[in-house]
Amino acid sequence: MSADLRPAVSSGLLFCAAFLAAFIASTNGESRLECGKRAVHVRTSQSRIVGGRDAVEGAWPWQVSLQVTNRRAHVCGATIISQWWLLSAAHCFPSTSGFNNKDQWKAVMGLRDLSRPAKWTISRKIDALILHEKYHEVQNDVAVLKVDKAINFGDYIQVACLPKPGKFHIEKWSHCHVTGWGLMEQNGAPARILQEAGVRLIPLETCQQPNWYGGLVNDHMICAGFAGGGIDACQGDSGGPLSCQLKGTDRFFVVGVVSWGKGCAERFKPGVYTSTNTYGEWIEKKTGISISQSEDSGVEYMSDYGIAATESSAENPSVPSNIQFGTNQPTSMVQRHLPGRTIPLLNLLILLYHFCTDCF
């Protein structure tokens, strides 16, 4: 009888060990993440931020609202790139106004209507704020933020893919959209509902023409919009994602970060975005995120080691007067913090005891 019992006990223990490992991994959110997918079906459009069209609930689940805590106000956008890290623009955090202090900020996710957080909306404090050490005016306009608690993913809160570090190839991407709560027209009112704009990627050589942006644009940047204007990001959208689908797949990658432009939606003055391809290695170094697979496979997984850097943010120098960045006048917002549910360790052990009793 003992000979028959031993394999049963061994199998039971192995099963329970596997169950426990899987359960703990899912509870801690350490399983591999399937990035860049939307739980809701959304028809692509050529809608506008300037001029306005409301995004469908859940259409852009990696979109983040960065808010100044003492004003309860949206100021900039950001993108979820892992359970612990957000991607944004360096110019959103000027030292002159004290915005380079991480304690001034919070990140709100799973949000569509600034005045009406949903039941799945969550808020996180900022544990680390890192600006690119060579940020200056429109150059190296990139930043990463570490949240104080892991982000709970669901249908309305997801992680975006990051393209593999290297040169940006415009021909790989389609269905590009910029999203945010910025101004709906130049010098106009900010949006209350998350806006989306379908934009076209513009070759760098076109954007560098003298009657466009000339030498202000380099290969660390991406131009997106339309030659005739009319569709563009605007103030308040800065730091948010330029999300594009990798051709032949259903996955979205954040290929750009809203950075700057002359006015909003002007002729020959499209939006200019920080290219995430160019800064992939910098993002990996600062965050510990591993952008592990080739984007050509259509699948991008990111391992997150939760590394918290302690670097101070950079100074924000003066910028040319004709360049528009993304901070906007504060708008009021009612906040609600809905953290994810957790199972205490004692309850977990009791659950496993009862479950594994039948294993033997």
Side-chain angles (χ1 to χ4, degrees):
M1 182 173 179
S2 60
D4 293 334
L5 178 61
R6 194 173 297 115
V9 172
S10 177
S11 298
L13 288 173
L14 287 173
F15 181 83
C16 289
F19 176 83
L20 177 60
F23 189 90
I24 291 175
S26 63
T27 301
N28 292 336
E30 293 176 352
S31 57
R32 298 183 80 190
L33 302 174
E34 196 171 15
C35 61
K37 283 201 167 185
R38 308 191 283 195
V40 299
H41 177 71
V42 182
R43 295 179 61 185
T44 58
S45 69
Q46 292 296 319
S47 55
R48 299 177 291 176
I49 292 183
V50 175
R53 173 159 176 170
D54 297 348
V56 175
E57 190 83 72
W60 309 103
W62 41 85
Q63 175 77 48
V64 179
S65 170
L66 292 180
Q67 303 180 5
V68 178
T69 53
N70 61 354
R71 299 181 187 177
R72 299 169 62 119
H74 169 84
V75 176
C76 272
T79 303
I80 302 171
I81 57 172
S82 85
Q83 295 169 290
W84 290 96
W85 290 94
L86 311 175
L87 178 68
S88 191
H91 78 261
C92 287
F93 311 100
S95 59
T96 52
S97 57
F99 284 1
N100 62 335
N101 182 352
K102 65 182 178 61
D103 297 328
Q104 292 285 332
W105 294 91
K106 67 177 176 181
V108 184
M109 291 149 281
L111 187 64
R112 177 176 177 263
D113 186 336
L114 287 175
S115 65
R116 297 178 61 185
K119 62 182 180 180
W120 48 77
T121 301
I122 62 173
S123 175
R124 293 289 185 268
K125 295 179 181 178
I126 304 303
D127 194 50
L129 170 59
I130 306 171
L131 277 60
H132 196 285
E133 54 275 9
K134 294 184 179 180
Y135 163 61
H136 180 73
E137 295 185 351
V138 298
Q139 307 299 325
N140 304 302
D141 189 15
V142 62
V144 289
L145 300 84
K146 183 177 184 290
V147 295
D148 66 329
K149 291 191 298 182
I151 299 168
N152 307 105
F153 294 113
D155 287 351
Y156 300 96
I157 301 175
Q158 290 289 344
V159 62
C161 297
L162 284 174
K164 190 176 181 180
K167 186 177 180 180
F168 179 74
H169 296 282
I170 193 172
E171 67 277 2
K172 288 186 176 182
W173 308 100
S174 64
H175 300 113
C176 296
H177 284 73
V178 58
T179 49
W181 289 274
L183 303 186
M184 299 178 72
E185 61 181 4
Q186 190 170 341
N187 301 320
R192 179 175 61 87
I193 306 295
L194 180 66
Q195 301 292 296
E196 64 174 15
V199 293
R200 293 176 183 168
L201 298 176
I202 298 172
L204 189 64
E205 297 76 14
T206 301
C207 215
Q208 289 175 329
Q209 293 179 104
N211 61 327
W212 288 56
Y213 283 124
L216 284 176
V217 177
N218 58 39
D219 58 6
H220 288 61
M221 304 172 187
I222 296 171
C223 288
F226 297 90
I231 299 176
D232 198 5
C234 202
Q235 288 179 289
D237 295 317
S238 277
L242 173 62
S243 303
C244 297
Q245 278 184 303
L246 182 66
K247 288 182 179 179
T249 78
D250 60 351
R251 292 180 184 275
F252 278 93
F253 290 69
V254 53
V255 302
V257 177
V258 179
S259 182
W260 61 277
K262 184 179 183 299
C264 299
E266 293 185 9
R267 182 177 173 85
F268 301 140
K269 296 297 183 289
V272 184
Y273 302 79
T274 303
S275 171
T276 56
N277 281 86
T278 306
Y279 294 95
E281 292 182 358
W282 182 86
I283 293 169
E284 288 182 322
K285 179 181 177 182
K286 299 301 180 182
T287 66
I289 293 173
S290 175
I291 307 171
S292 59
Q293 294 188 12
S294 169
E295 66 192 23
D296 295 325
S297 68
V299 181
E300 194 86 358
Y301 291 99
M302 292 173 288
S303 302
D304 187 355
Y305 302 101
I307 299 172
T310 57
E311 300 181 24
S312 60
S313 55
E315 295 294 317
N316 185 26
S318 60
V319 297
S321 59
N322 64 336
I323 300 299
Q324 294 291 327
F325 286 114
T327 54
N328 65 301
Q329 296 300 317
T331 56
S332 61
M333 177 175 177
V334 178
Q335 290 302 318
R336 189 166 12 159
H337 185 108
L338 297 174
R341 295 171 58 189
T342 59
I343 298 180
L345 179 60
L346 179 60
N347 290 350
L348 174 60
L349 292 174
I350 293 172
L351 173 64
L352 288 173
Y353 171 78
H354 288 295
F355 180 83
C356 290
T357 299
D358 296 331
C359 296
F360 310 119

